[in-house]
Amino acid sequence: QNVILSLDSVISDRSFNNLRISFTREDVAFANPWYNNNGADFAAQRSGNVQQSYQTYTLGVNDVAQDRINDSLQFDDTFSLYVPDWKGDHDMRIGMHYSKRDEIFNNSGGANGTFSFPNDLGFDPNVDASYPAYFSFRAFGPSGSANFDFPSNNVFGIFFQDDWQPMENLTLNLGIRYDSESIT
């Protein structure tokens, strides 16, 4: 989902301002159909059949079950000014940028467990070589899945740029930018 608001303002025949506000939400799943179709949570993955991983094929519910929501809010403002005949022509821009990004991550992978077999024999309780080499699962605390609310990422930046043309066949691009990032 993406929502963008942009406002362009002509202030004079030599100045212009662009204001842009945007919000983006990404809801991404890296998961098997069982997880996605049965609630997309720890209980859904735990209720799936145990995965049986053989050398060349796999049976049961895949143990990959992750989803993530990324939210991003961004604010940009740029003011442009054209100044002719001031020791050449100047096309100047000054602006600022602010963005805040949040992420919620859920990892219920491995909740159903996986038997890993060293061959393709298929399980037979009377044949030692058909037993799994190991069993793995992801243990979770009392709340079930491992949900993580990551810290917010905040970015602030300001800049100044001047495309200065002191002569008809020479343009100098001059600029300075400062960015600051914080994790809260």
Side-chain angles (χ1 to χ4, degrees):
Q1 300 167 346
N2 197 10
V3 177
I4 300 170
L5 171 68
S6 183
L7 177 63
D8 295 329
S9 303
V10 177
I11 299 167
S12 74
D13 62 341
R14 295 186 181 166
S15 59
F16 179 82
N17 195 72
N18 173 260
L19 173 66
R20 180 180 168 114
I21 301 170
S22 63
F23 175 78
T24 302
R25 169 167 278 187
E26 296 175 300
D27 191 346
V28 186
F30 307 100
N32 63 74
W34 178 267
Y35 176 83
N36 288 333
N37 296 331
N38 290 288
D41 60 12
F42 175 77
Q45 186 65 18
R46 177 57 58 116
S47 70
N49 292 334
V50 172
Q51 178 175 285
Q52 299 169 47
S53 179
Y54 294 90
Q55 286 293 85
T56 61
Y57 66 96
T58 301
L59 300 174
V61 173
N62 186 302
D63 68 348
V64 177
Q66 300 175 3
D67 58 85
R68 182 180 71 222
I69 296 176
N70 300 325
D71 287 337
S72 177
L73 177 64
Q74 189 166 312
F75 175 85
D76 295 283
D77 190 27
T78 303
F79 176 74
S80 300
L81 177 65
Y82 177 69
V83 180
D85 302 324
W86 184 49
K87 297 187 181 183
D89 295 338
H90 296 265
D91 189 3
M92 296 182 280
R93 285 171 290 291
I94 187 168
M96 62 88 58
H97 163 87
Y98 172 77
S99 64
K100 178 179 180 177
R101 292 180 176 84
D102 295 307
E103 180 178 326
I104 299 170
F105 178 69
N106 174 30
N107 184 356
S108 296
N112 58 318
T114 300
F115 283 111
S116 296
F117 294 87
N119 52 48
D120 285 340
L121 294 177
F123 179 68
D124 181 343
N126 298 314
V127 177
D128 287 345
S130 73
Y131 275 78
Y134 59 89
F135 175 71
S136 63
F137 74 100
R138 190 161 187 189
F140 296 103
S143 65
S145 75
N147 288 328
F148 303 100
D149 291 336
F150 289 97
S152 293
N153 178 316
N154 299 285
V155 176
F156 174 76
I158 57 174
F159 70 92
F160 174 78
Q161 180 178 338
D162 185 6
D163 295 338
W164 175 35
Q165 188 174 16
M167 299 182 247
E168 189 173 315
N169 60 355
L170 176 65
T171 300
L172 300 174
N173 302 99
L174 309 169
I176 188 168
R177 180 173 185 98
Y178 171 80
D179 288 301
S180 172
E181 181 176 14
S182 65
I183 309 288
T184 57

